[in-house]
């Protein structure tokens, strides 16, 4: 390479500060050091970057053309140094997190904002597959950490941390026939189509299926949009549907015998092969604190 990063810093900072002397003060160096670095850069490139015929040097056409590329190279160098520093401090370079879509919401988004502030160099991959699909992705080594509603038969080859519980409520469109009842029995619910979550393999939680007639939908958000269109009723996470109920696009169904909601245990699953770095440890410590878990 015919130039170095110090030369590029002297070049870009001189432009930013408006003069070689101001750039030198910013760098804590003598003006002669900055002038020499820029002169050597020009010699190495075979180009004149500054017109020195005026009191303050101004960019030449070549200087204006190369300035954005020099700034990009320095930004990439800072990113490289940041990743190297983070890894030497025990932080992993990347982390793959799979979260069941029904657990996505403001609480998790707030946590991810805090994660970014704590580990700005981390490359995070966030996936939102259905329940059993999370297990398969972890088993394949595609995902490091998974957050999902507990399964009936948890896998034995993962590190599993039971967390707290998520509240589920029965919802329907305000125009759905079930919305007119002051009190509903399970028998009445069974007579109407239920929309249920499914995985790519077609799995449905037996404890969630109540109706004799069902539609299987892979996406929690897609499921709720169909509920809004009065295509069926569904169990849904209370934290997710609360805004929709408040705005009137969904209605919480009133069930008899004081059964208005039920709880689902949430599990944190970690691949047995994943060696938690500082970011993974930080995340696993705070996921149990998600505000919608009780």
């Amino acid at each position: 390479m015919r130039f170095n990063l110090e030369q590029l810093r002297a070049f870009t900072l001189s432009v930013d500060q408006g003069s070689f002397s101001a750039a030198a003060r910013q760098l804590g160096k003598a003006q002669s050091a900055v002038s020499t670095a820029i002169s050597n850069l020009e010699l190495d490139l075979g180009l004149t970057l500054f017109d020195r015929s005026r009191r303050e040097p101004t960019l030449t056409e070549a200087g204006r053309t190369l300035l954005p590329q020099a700034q990009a190279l320095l930004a990439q160098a800072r990113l490289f140094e940041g990743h190297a520093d983070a890894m030497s401090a025990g932080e992993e370079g990347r982390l793959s997190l799979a979260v069941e879509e029904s657990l996505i919401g403001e609480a998790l988004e707030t946590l991810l904002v805090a994660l970014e502030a704590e580990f700005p160099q981390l490359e995070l991959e966030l996936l939102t597959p259905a329940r059993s699909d999370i297990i398969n992705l972890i088993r394949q080594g595609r995902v490091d950490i998974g957050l999902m509603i507990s399964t009936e038969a948890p896998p034995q080859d993962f590190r599993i941390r039971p967390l707290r519980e998520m509240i589920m409520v029965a919802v329907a469109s305000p125009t759905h026939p079930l919305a007119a009842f002051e009190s509903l029995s399970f028998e009445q619910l069974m007579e109407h189509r239920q929309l249920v979550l499914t995985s790519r393999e077609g799995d449905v939680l037996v404890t969630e299926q109540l109706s004799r007639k069902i539609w299987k939908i892979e996406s929690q958000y897609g499921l709720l949009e169909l509920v809004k269109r009065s295509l069926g009723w569904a169990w849904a996470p209370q934290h997710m549907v609360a805004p929709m109920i408040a705005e009137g696009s969904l209605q919480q169904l009133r069930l008899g015998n004081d059964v208005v909601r039920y709880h689902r245990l949430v599990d944190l699953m970690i691949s047995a092969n994943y060696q938690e770095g500082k970011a993974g440890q930080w995340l696993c410590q705070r996921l149990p604190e998600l505000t919608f878990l009780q």
Side-chain angles (χ1 to χ4, degrees), residues 15-244:
V15 177
D16 291 340
Q17 298 298 312
S19 69
F20 294 166
S21 58
R25 288 193 296 272
Q26 189 74 16
L27 289 170
K29 295 183 177 181
Q31 179 178 336
S32 58
V34 171
S35 298
T36 300
I38 294 174
S39 296
N40 289 336
L41 177 61
E42 291 174 321
L43 288 172
D44 290 339
L45 297 176
L47 296 168
T48 301
L49 301 176
F50 287 99
D51 180 358
R52 297 171 175 80
S53 63
R54 303 174 185 176
R55 180 176 180 180
E56 297 294 347
T58 57
L59 283 174
T60 62
E61 183 63 30
R64 284 190 292 272
T65 300
L66 293 178
L67 178 62
Q69 298 176 46
Q71 292 168 330
L73 283 170
L74 289 172
Q76 190 64 36
R78 288 192 295 271
L79 185 63
F80 176 84
E81 291 169 350
H83 277 299
D85 290 343
M87 293 175 68
S88 67
E91 298 176 23
E92 55 269 70
R94 65 178 302 277
L95 175 63
S96 181
L97 171 66
V99 180
E100 187 172 328
E101 198 174 38
S102 58
L103 301 173
I104 296 288
E106 185 176 354
L108 181 64
E109 292 164 4
T110 300
L111 179 62
L112 294 180
V113 169
L115 174 69
E116 192 279 334
E118 187 73 19
F119 304 99
Q121 304 300 334
L122 177 70
E123 178 184 321
L124 177 70
E125 180 182 37
L126 176 62
L127 305 178
T128 58
R131 293 163 191 172
S132 61
D133 294 330
I134 293 179
I135 295 175
N136 292 333
L137 288 170
I138 296 177
R139 185 170 283 132
Q140 295 164 10
R142 177 71 175 77
V143 165
D144 302 316
I145 300 173
L147 188 67
M148 59 179 286
I149 292 178
S150 182
T151 62
E152 300 300 320
Q156 301 300 310
D157 50 346
F158 296 172
R159 289 177 282 163
I160 302 177
R161 301 180 189 174
L163 306 184
R164 292 178 291 164
E165 295 178 319
M166 179 177 69
I167 296 175
M168 306 285 286
V169 295
V171 294
S173 165
T175 62
H176 192 279
L178 290 173
F181 288 85
E182 290 296 327
S183 179
L184 286 165
S185 66
F186 285 140
E187 287 73 19
Q188 288 172 301
L189 289 176
M190 290 170 63
E191 295 303 319
H192 291 265
R193 181 188 298 117
Q194 180 184 359
L195 308 187
V196 295
L197 278 177
T198 185
S199 68
R200 290 289 173 94
E201 297 179 353
D203 299 326
V204 171
L205 287 179
V206 177
T207 53
E208 286 192 6
Q209 181 179 340
L210 185 61
S211 297
R212 298 183 179 93
K213 298 178 289 185
I214 64 169
W215 277 12
K216 297 179 179 181
I217 297 95
E218 183 182 13
S219 165
Q220 179 73 70
Y221 288 105
L223 181 152
L224 292 175
E225 289 302 315
L226 295 181
V227 172
K228 290 178 183 179
R229 292 180 176 270
S230 206
L231 292 174
W233 70 274
W235 291 109
Q238 185 182 54
H239 73 276
M240 182 177 284
V241 297
M244 304 174 195

Side-chain angles (χ1 to χ4, degrees), residues 251-288:
Q251 179 172 315
Q252 182 173 332
L253 299 179
R254 297 173 287 272
L255 307 183
N257 299 321
D258 297 324
V259 180
V260 295
R261 62 189 187 184
Y262 77 99
H263 297 70
R264 292 303 316 230
L265 183 66
V266 175
D267 284 340
L268 180 63
M269 294 192 174
I270 305 171
S271 169
N273 298 321
Y274 171 56
Q275 299 298 317
E276 293 175 38
K278 288 187 176 181
Q281 293 171 7
W282 186 97
L283 193 60
C284 290
Q285 289 171 0
R286 285 161 179 79
L287 282 170

